[in-house]
Amino acid sequence: MRAVIQRVNNAVLSVNGEKISSIGEGFLVLVGYTADDDKKKIDYVVDRIVGMRIFRDENGKLNKTLKDIGGEVMCVSNFTLYGNAATGRRPDFSKSAHYEVAKPMYDYTLEKFREMLGKVACGVFGEHMHIEMSNDGPVTMIIEK
C-alpha cells in the first residue's frame, strides 16, 4: 500500500461537476494498492497517518497530530500511485491492484479512518474525480508498507 499525504487547509472533491465531499484543515490522502496488500498493511499505514505529527504547535514546530488539531481526512483511491514510468512514455500500471482486489481494500481503509477519527470524507472508487485543495506548507509525505 502506498499513501501520499498532503496537509491541506481545505479540499473539495467533485465527480461530473457534482460536489461529493469536502474537508477543512487536515489531510488529503491518496491511496493505491497492489495485489500483495492486506489488512495488516492498511492498519499500519492508517495508524501512521493519524499519528503523524506534521501540524505546528504553539512554538511553530511540526509537533501536533491530526487529532490534536481536530483535523479531517479526505481519502481518495488512486491506482496511478503504482504507475511505473521508468521506461517508455506511457506508465505501466501492472503493479496496481485490479478493481475486485483494490475496492475492498479501499473500503477497509475508509473503515479504519472512521474507527480512529469518527469520520472520513472520500472519493468515488473508480470514477474520474476533480479535487480542489489548498495545500498547507506545502507539507507532503509518502507512506508505504
Side-chain angles (χ1 to χ4, degrees):
M1 176 181 181
R2 185 175 289 163
V4 176
I5 300 98
Q6 295 183 318
R7 190 178 73 182
V8 299
N9 295 313
N10 56 66
V12 177
L13 184 140
S14 302
V15 175
N16 296 322
E18 179 184 343
K19 178 180 164 185
I20 302 297
S21 61
S22 64
I23 62 168
E25 183 180 24
F27 293 149
L28 169 60
V29 180
L30 305 175
V31 293
Y33 308 95
T34 68
D36 295 332
D37 290 333
D38 57 25
K39 289 182 176 181
K40 189 174 180 179
K41 289 181 183 181
I42 295 168
D43 291 346
Y44 172 86
V45 170
V46 171
D47 181 64
R48 297 292 298 176
I49 292 168
V50 171
M52 194 175 314
R53 298 179 346 178
I54 59 173
F55 292 96
R56 295 193 187 283
D57 66 13
E58 54 283 346
N59 298 313
K61 301 240 184 240
L62 298 181
N63 212 18
K64 289 192 173 190
T65 68
L66 197 61
K67 284 185 176 183
D68 292 337
I69 64 144
E72 300 177 276
V73 166
M74 177 182 287
C75 183
V76 180
S77 62
N78 188 332
F79 80 96
T80 65
L81 291 181
Y82 278 101
N84 180 356
T87 61
R89 296 290 183 197
R90 182 169 22 149
D92 172 13
F93 298 108
S94 61
K95 288 190 178 179
S96 298
H98 293 281
Y99 180 94
E100 55 279 346
V101 173
K103 176 72 164 90
M105 286 192 273
Y106 177 63
D107 291 341
Y108 181 74
T109 303
L110 297 177
E111 180 183 316
K112 290 306 291 183
F113 274 121
R114 285 186 190 103
E115 183 181 297
M116 295 184 80
L117 298 171
K119 65 178 183 172
V120 62
C122 57
V124 180
F125 190 91
E127 290 292 327
H128 184 89
M129 296 169 271
H130 292 270
I131 303 170
E132 295 179 40
M133 57 102 174
S134 171
N135 198 316
D136 183 24
V139 175
T140 304
M141 305 296 296
I142 299 172
I143 297 178
E144 189 165 12
K145 181 72 176 170

